[in-house]
Amino acid sequence: VQLQAYGGGLVQAGDSLRLSCAASGFTFSNYKMGWFRQVPGQEREFVSAITRSGSSQHYAAPVKGRFTISRDNTKNMVYLQMNSLEPEDTAVYYCAAGRIGTVDLAYLYDYWGQGTQVTVSS
């Protein structure tokens, strides 16, 4: 099983980034997919999630209206389009896959990627 997140970088406030996560080694369409982020010294924080079919998306309050999650089950890919980035969005972003449970609880996800750094300067 592998989840490889990429697309992070250093941007200025107000810019956009698109994170991608490539999945392999499991039946991608059977898993909900989520994005979490973590700042050193803090707990991992839920950002967004999408159901197995992609029909429903969920967002944490701080990113709602700015971030958009999507998936392509034909390519085993999940994406996070991040617009109007703010310095508070600076973190390592992780993609994760889970079979069951609510979308915003990290411990209910089964597989995790290695993370990609997003840094937003003011």
Side-chain angles (χ1 to χ4, degrees):
V1 172
Q2 189 171 15
L3 290 172
Q4 188 168 8
Y6 56 94
L10 172 62
V11 297
Q12 293 187 334
D15 286 351
S16 299
L17 275 177
R18 187 195 196 204
L19 304 185
S20 300
C21 177
S24 62
F26 63 100
T27 306
F28 182 73
S29 58
N30 286 352
Y31 285 73
K32 68 178 186 283
M33 297 298 297
W35 287 95
F36 290 76
R37 65 188 183 186
Q38 189 169 23
V39 174
Q42 298 184 18
E43 291 190 358
R44 197 162 291 190
E45 175 189 30
F46 169 73
V47 175
S48 182
I50 189 167
T51 53
R52 290 174 291 180
S53 66
S55 61
S56 181
Q57 302 84 37
H58 305 267
Y59 299 95
V63 308
K64 203 166 188 177
R66 300 188 297 120
F67 291 11
T68 302
I69 190 171
S70 61
R71 68 187 294 164
D72 186 340
N73 285 351
T74 67
K75 297 181 180 179
N76 288 3
M77 295 288 296
V78 62
Y79 308 98
L80 186 67
Q81 177 66 43
M82 305 186 295
N83 298 330
S84 302
L85 282 161
E86 302 169 354
E88 293 74 22
D89 296 319
T90 296
V92 177
Y93 283 71
Y94 298 89
C95 62
R99 284 293 303 272
I100 61 173
T102 58
V103 297
D104 58 343
L105 297 178
Y107 73 89
L108 290 176
Y109 283 77
D110 304 299
Y111 308 129
W112 290 84
Q114 84 289 358
T116 184
Q117 176 71 46
V118 172
T119 303
V120 184
S121 63
S122 57

